[in-house]
């Protein structure tokens, strides 16, 4: 059984990215393999909820996190909704399914002091890798973009005259992010050394390796982890924590939640509200230190 019609639907009608598309199809293929192995099922179209439940229990017992299981079930649910839409089935077997409980992970952002220390350490960078790494960190902190969005940036996405950055987000949705003045000089310096690389294989993408090819996600993660390990004792030091720091620091300074939502490229405020717990903590501290009756 293939999922080409479903893939085409996600790509052409839902505008899902190719990475998301691949994840959905992989989930479906794994599910189909399990159903064939356990129930000798030729197709997953006629599977009932009890069989799906058996698959979920198997995933739990194999040690997969509830969050990952929920994502796999979500892929399956999207497929069954597609089958309903195309009149291939009449009832979605997952219609009454309730997601597994997931513990909320508190993401601790980098402090403003930690951000300042890392950027100061990179302030004197003049070579290609040093300037590239500085720009990567500055862009994450100044725009809040996702790691995959940074990797996919092209030179043409940067508009220095209008001080904006065009970002292609989830479901191929474009958004314009303003660039603060302090980052414009770093962009110009980086572009100069980038253009002077001995070998440039990829002429279009903004961030390259020293071999002249497009930068990749694991390298971006390693860059962030390496620099912040020098100033931070936090367990998690990733590009996502930089995105988290961007949102938290804006909210701490009184930024409007809806404005932060637009900058982050979230489709709903609910996703952005995850970042508010630290700003609330900051408000409590300010309130405690300044309210006339707090000292009594």
């Amino acid at each position: 059984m293939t999922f080409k019609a479903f893939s085409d639907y996600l790509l052409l009608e839902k505008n899902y990215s190719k990475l998301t598309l691949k994840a959905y199809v992989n989930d479906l293929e794994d599910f189909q393999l399990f159903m064939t192995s356990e129930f000798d099922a030729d197709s997953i179209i006629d599977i009932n909820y009890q069989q799906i439940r058996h698959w979920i229990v198997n995933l739990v017992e194999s040690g997969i996190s509830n969050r990952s299981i929920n994502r796999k079930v979500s892929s399956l649910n999207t497929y069954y909704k597609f089958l309903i839409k195309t009149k291939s089935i009449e009832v979605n077997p997952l219609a009454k399914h309730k997601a597994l409980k997931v513990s909320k992970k508190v993401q601790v952002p980098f402090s403003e002091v930690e951000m300042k220390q890392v950027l100061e350490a990179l302030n004197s960078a003049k070579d290609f890798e040093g300037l590239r790494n500085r720009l990567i960190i500055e862009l994450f902190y100044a725009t809040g973009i996702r790691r995959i969005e940074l990797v996919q940036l092209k030179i043409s996405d940067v508009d220095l005259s209008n001080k904006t950055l065009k970002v292609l987000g989830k479901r191929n949705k474009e958004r314009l992010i303003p660039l603060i003045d302090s980052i414009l000089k770093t962009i110009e310096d980086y572009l100069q050394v980038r253009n002077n690389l001995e070998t440039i294989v990829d002429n279009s993408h903004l961030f390259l390796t020293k071999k002249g090819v497009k930068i990749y996600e694991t390298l971006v993660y390693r860059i962030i982890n390496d620099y912040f390990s020098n100033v931070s004792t936090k367990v998690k030091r990733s590009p996502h924590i930089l995105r988290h720091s961007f949102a938290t620091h804006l909210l701490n300074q009184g930024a409007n939640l809806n404005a932060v939502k637009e900058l982050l490229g979230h489709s709903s405020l609910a996703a952005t509200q995850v970042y508010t717990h630290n700003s609330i903590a900051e408000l409590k501290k300010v309130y405690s230190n300044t309210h006339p009756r707090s000292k009594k």
Side-chain angles (χ1 to χ4, degrees):
M1 182 179 181
T2 64
F3 303 101
K4 187 177 186 312
F6 178 60
S7 298
D8 291 342
Y9 165 73
L10 294 182
L11 186 65
L12 302 174
E13 291 194 37
K14 304 293 284 184
N15 288 323
Y16 281 17
S17 71
K18 290 183 179 179
L19 284 174
T20 303
L21 190 67
K22 185 178 179 182
Y24 271 64
V25 172
N26 284 344
D27 289 339
L28 291 177
E29 288 176 344
D30 289 344
F31 176 71
Q32 180 177 266
L33 191 64
F34 180 85
M35 288 297 138
T36 302
S37 173
E38 293 291 314
F39 301 105
D40 198 25
D42 294 327
S43 168
I44 62 174
I45 290 179
D46 300 320
I47 296 300
N48 60 49
Y49 182 68
Q50 288 306 317
Q51 291 170 309
I52 296 173
R53 187 70 184 169
H54 184 71
W55 169 64
I56 293 172
V57 170
N58 181 266
L59 291 175
V60 171
E61 291 177 346
S62 67
I64 296 176
S65 70
N66 285 6
R67 189 181 301 275
S68 294
I69 293 172
N70 285 341
R71 183 188 60 76
K72 290 176 180 293
V73 173
S74 177
S75 298
L76 188 60
N77 191 36
T78 302
Y79 178 62
Y80 283 127
K81 286 180 178 179
F82 165 73
L83 294 180
I84 293 278
K85 183 182 178 72
T86 56
K87 296 183 171 27
S88 300
I89 60 173
E90 294 182 358
V91 179
N92 181 350
L94 281 167
K96 295 183 179 180
H97 173 75
K98 292 184 179 179
L100 302 179
K101 290 185 178 179
V102 176
S103 57
K104 292 184 178 179
K105 293 182 180 179
V106 177
Q107 302 279 6
V108 181
F110 298 120
S111 68
E112 292 184 37
V113 171
E114 288 170 335
M115 290 304 312
K116 184 179 180 181
Q117 288 175 330
V118 167
L119 291 173
E120 283 181 347
L122 281 162
N123 211 17
S124 59
K126 299 296 180 187
D127 64 321
F128 168 74
E129 287 190 318
L131 279 168
R132 181 200 63 192
N133 296 349
R134 177 180 176 85
L135 181 56
I136 285 173
I137 292 171
E138 282 193 7
L139 263 185
F140 273 134
Y141 187 49
T143 65
I145 59 175
R146 301 175 178 91
R147 175 169 49 168
I148 185 62
E149 292 172 344
L150 179 132
V151 167
Q152 298 295 348
L153 282 176
K154 295 182 177 178
I155 294 177
S156 58
D157 293 327
V158 182
D159 188 338
L160 292 174
S161 59
N162 289 315
K163 302 179 182 179
T164 58
L165 181 71
K166 184 173 70 177
V167 177
L168 186 64
K170 289 185 175 181
R171 301 185 184 180
N172 292 322
K173 185 179 178 181
E174 286 187 355
R175 67 186 187 278
L176 278 181
I177 302 177
L179 292 173
I180 54 179
D181 289 340
S182 61
I183 204 171
L184 299 177
K185 179 68 164 59
T186 310
I187 294 174
E188 290 174 343
D189 290 344
Y190 165 71
L191 286 176
Q192 187 173 351
V193 296
R194 178 198 179 283
N195 293 336
N196 288 330
L197 281 174
E198 285 187 19
T199 304
I200 299 180
V201 179
D202 189 322
N203 286 303
S204 61
H205 284 90
L206 178 63
F207 290 109
L208 306 179
T209 70
K210 60 184 178 182
K211 293 182 179 179
V213 298
K214 185 177 78 170
I215 203 169
Y216 47 96
E217 289 191 60
T218 51
L219 176 55
V220 174
Y221 176 87
R222 194 158 66 241
I223 289 168
I224 301 305
N225 186 66
D226 287 350
Y227 279 103
F228 281 90
S229 64
N230 295 324
V231 301
S232 178
T233 57
K234 292 178 176 64
V235 175
K236 194 168 183 180
R237 300 179 293 268
S238 68
H240 182 72
I241 297 300
L242 263 177
R243 177 172 162 86
H244 190 52
S245 305
F246 162 81
T248 301
H249 295 173
L250 280 180
L251 291 168
N252 283 348
Q253 296 297 321
N256 178 275
L257 186 63
N258 199 58
V260 175
K261 164 187 168 290
E262 294 300 317
L263 289 168
L264 291 171
H266 284 159
S267 57
S268 69
L269 274 176
T272 315
Q273 285 170 338
V274 172
Y275 301 102
T276 62
H277 72 275
N278 288 293
S279 58
I280 293 297
E282 185 69 17
L283 283 173
K284 285 181 178 178
K285 186 170 73 174
V286 172
Y287 181 77
S288 177
N289 290 337
T290 58
H291 195 279
R293 294 189 62 81
S294 66
K295 303 288 192 297
K296 293 185 179 181

